[in-house]
């Protein structure tokens, strides 16, 4: 009896240690969402004098964080898939000649699996806190200015002030992440927000995800840390279907070792309990469509470069045309019947 009692006591002591060292101590499996996504729009009020209507539609594609299957492309005219030359963004291109109708409707239906991913939290990333002595040529674009994202002037001064005393790119990135988080508020009132104008956003201290991440990218590049802009659509957490009323964007910065590290400052601002999480990780509640700013489409548009590419871009006889009615929606298997709108 005494031997049995001793054995039981030994197991009670050892078992918690074994559990702590076992699978439960490992990182939890990454979450993922699989859903159908519909991208629909109608060009409205085409003038009767229109001779040539050109249409570019961003096309979501598979990468290491999402698996995308294009189920159907609907268009009143033949289409072809092209690729933007600088960032590799794919798109659907179509032309209407002498259109007989005042409207033209397009749609793309997808099946998407998007997964959560993380490159580690701040403390884990510190092991890579060393400067890029000789950045690869492929990163050069991510150190340069965009039209609305400068790397000189006031943003550079603010970046230098905010990173004073910080040693490597991880410490600097976290300091700039916290600067944007603390000094800006998510507020879409008034005008000027949503363009991703880093100088405007820095002065106004409010805006949407585009403005938050433009300030971050500008200051990161000013500190000679490669940073890039990514954009797509959000999926509301906890909802299984619904219409999506706006886009969502985030940023990534480059470290030697783990590569591109994600940040989502506007989502952290809206959910402060995830402030640490969104430095180094992204949840699966999104789908990415494109990357980059100041885009030259394929074939090249007649108008100026496109600020960012998540909505359709249309030209009528060589001039940008914005009379579009857009509708985006998603549906997961087993979804309920109540639609949920979301915009970020």
């Amino acid at each position: 009896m005494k031997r049995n009692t001793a054995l039981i006591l030994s197991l009670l002591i050892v078992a918690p240690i074994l559990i702590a060292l076992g699978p439960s101590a490992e990182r939890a499996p990454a979450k993922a969402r699989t859903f159908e996504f519909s991208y629909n729009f109608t060009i409205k009020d085409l003038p009767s004098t229109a001779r040539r209507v050109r249409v570019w539609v961003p096309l979501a594609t598979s990468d290491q964080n999402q698996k995308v299957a294009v189920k159907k492309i609907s268009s009143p005219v033949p289409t072809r898939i092209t690729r933007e030359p600088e960032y590799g963004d794919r798109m659907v291109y179509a032309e209407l000649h002498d259109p007989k109708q005042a409207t033209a409707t397009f749609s793309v239906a997808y099946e998407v699996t998007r997964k959560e991913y993380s490159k580690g939290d701040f403390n884990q990333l510190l092991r890579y806190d060393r400067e890029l002595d000789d950045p690869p040529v492929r990163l050069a674009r991510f150190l340069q200015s965009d039209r609305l994202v400068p790397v000189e002037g006031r943003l550079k001064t603010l970046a230098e002030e905010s990173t004073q005393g910080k040693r490597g790119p991880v410490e600097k990135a976290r300091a700039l992440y916290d600067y944007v988080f603390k000094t800006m508020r998510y507020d879409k009132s008034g005008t000027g927000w949503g363009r991703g104008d880093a100088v405007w956003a820095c002065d106004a201290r409010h805006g949407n995800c585009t403005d938050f991440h433009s300030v971050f990218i500008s200051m990161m590049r000013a500190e000679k840390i490669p940073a890039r802009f990514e954009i797509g659509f959000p999926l509301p957490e906890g909802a299984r279907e619904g219409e999506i009323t706006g886009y969502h964007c985030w940023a990534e910065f480059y470290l030697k070792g783990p590569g591109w590290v994600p940040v989502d400052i506007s989502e952290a601002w809206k959910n402060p309990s995830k402030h640490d999480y969104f430095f180094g990780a992204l949840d699966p509640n999104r789908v990415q469509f494109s990357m980059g700013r100041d885009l030259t489409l394929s074939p090249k548009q007649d108008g100026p470069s496109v600020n960012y590419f998540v909505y359709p871009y249309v030209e009528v006889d060589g001039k940008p045309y914005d009379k579009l009615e857009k509708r985006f929606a998603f549906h997961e298997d087993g979804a309920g019947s109540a639609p949920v709108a979301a915009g970020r």
Side-chain angles (χ1 to χ4, degrees):
M1 183 68 180
K2 290 182 178 179
R3 291 181 62 187
N4 289 341
T5 301
L7 178 60
I8 291 170
L9 289 172
S10 297
L11 289 173
L12 289 173
I13 294 169
V14 173
I17 298 173
L18 292 174
I19 290 172
L21 295 175
S24 61
E26 297 174 358
R27 182 183 296 275
K31 299 174 183 177
R33 298 183 72 169
T34 297
F35 51 93
E36 296 175 353
F37 188 90
S38 60
Y39 186 113
N40 309 279
F41 69 98
T42 298
I43 306 172
K44 300 172 60 180
D45 303 327
L46 285 170
S48 59
T49 56
R51 292 293 172 261
R52 188 189 189 203
V53 180
R54 304 174 75 198
V55 183
W56 294 260
V57 187
L59 191 66
T61 55
S62 296
D63 61 21
Q64 65 214 25
N65 305 312
Q66 64 185 27
K67 180 181 178 182
V68 175
V70 178
K71 310 298 286 186
K72 185 178 181 181
I73 298 174
S74 297
S75 166
V77 293
T79 64
R80 59 189 173 101
I81 295 174
T82 63
R83 186 179 294 273
E84 185 272 338
E86 189 167 38
Y87 298 98
D89 297 327
R90 294 209 306 165
M91 62 200 77
V92 177
Y93 178 72
E95 285 191 17
L96 292 82
H97 295 275
D98 298 317
K100 301 296 187 284
Q101 305 294 328
T103 62
T105 298
F106 298 78
S107 67
V108 184
Y110 297 93
E111 183 175 277
V112 180
T113 297
R114 177 77 189 192
K115 70 176 185 178
E116 175 187 36
Y117 78 100
S118 172
K119 292 298 181 75
D121 62 23
F122 173 67
N123 290 323
Q124 292 167 331
L125 289 169
L126 280 174
R127 74 185 71 173
Y128 306 107
D129 205 15
R130 53 186 181 272
E131 303 287 351
L132 281 173
D133 297 327
D134 187 18
V137 174
R138 61 187 171 83
L139 297 178
R141 181 63 185 88
F142 304 108
L143 290 166
Q144 299 169 2
S145 294
D146 293 305
R147 184 170 57 87
L148 297 178
V149 184
V151 298
E152 298 294 338
R154 185 176 175 199
L155 273 298
K156 180 177 176 62
T157 301
L158 279 174
E160 291 173 349
E161 293 173 354
S162 300
T163 58
Q164 190 171 9
K166 306 302 180 184
R167 294 176 298 174
V170 176
E171 286 191 4
K172 290 178 180 179
R174 183 56 181 252
L176 297 177
Y177 176 92
D178 287 340
Y179 173 85
V180 177
F181 178 86
K182 292 174 182 176
T183 61
M184 291 189 66
R185 70 182 188 278
Y186 191 89
D187 178 0
K188 299 190 288 186
S189 62
T191 60
W193 63 268
R195 298 176 63 236
D197 183 333
V199 175
W200 178 91
C202 189
D203 290 337
R205 298 200 170 195
H206 73 90
N208 73 348
C209 56
T210 324
D211 306 304
F212 273 61
H213 295 110
S214 294
V215 173
F216 177 77
I217 290 169
S218 182
M219 292 199 294
M220 288 289 283
R221 292 177 179 177
E223 287 295 308
K224 304 197 182 314
I225 304 170
R228 67 188 187 185
F229 175 90
E230 297 182 343
I231 191 166
F233 292 93
L235 271 66
E237 187 174 6
R240 307 286 290 184
E241 66 177 354
E243 292 194 16
I244 298 171
T245 60
Y247 63 80
H248 183 53
C249 64
W250 52 95
E252 292 188 325
F253 67 95
Y254 188 85
L255 293 177
K256 187 175 182 180
W260 290 104
V261 178
V263 299
D264 194 335
I265 315 173
S266 57
E267 284 301 283
W269 192 95
K270 289 186 282 184
N271 188 351
S273 67
K274 289 190 172 182
H275 169 267
D276 292 337
Y277 170 84
F278 280 119
F279 182 87
L282 289 182
D283 59 33
N285 305 321
R286 65 195 69 216
V287 54
Q288 182 181 336
F289 268 69
S290 67
M291 179 195 305
R293 305 284 295 272
D294 298 346
L295 301 167
T296 299
L297 306 181
S298 178
K300 187 179 183 303
Q301 70 271 32
D302 292 317
S305 61
V306 174
N307 187 14
Y308 48 79
F309 192 38
V310 69
Y311 293 143
Y313 176 78
V314 177
E315 290 184 346
V316 174
D317 295 331
K319 296 181 180 179
Y321 190 81
D322 60 4
K323 293 184 179 180
L324 308 177
E325 183 177 281
K326 304 179 290 288
R327 182 180 182 272
F328 315 104
F330 81 103
H331 176 92
E332 291 184 75
D333 290 338
S337 58
V340 179
R344 300 189 188 181

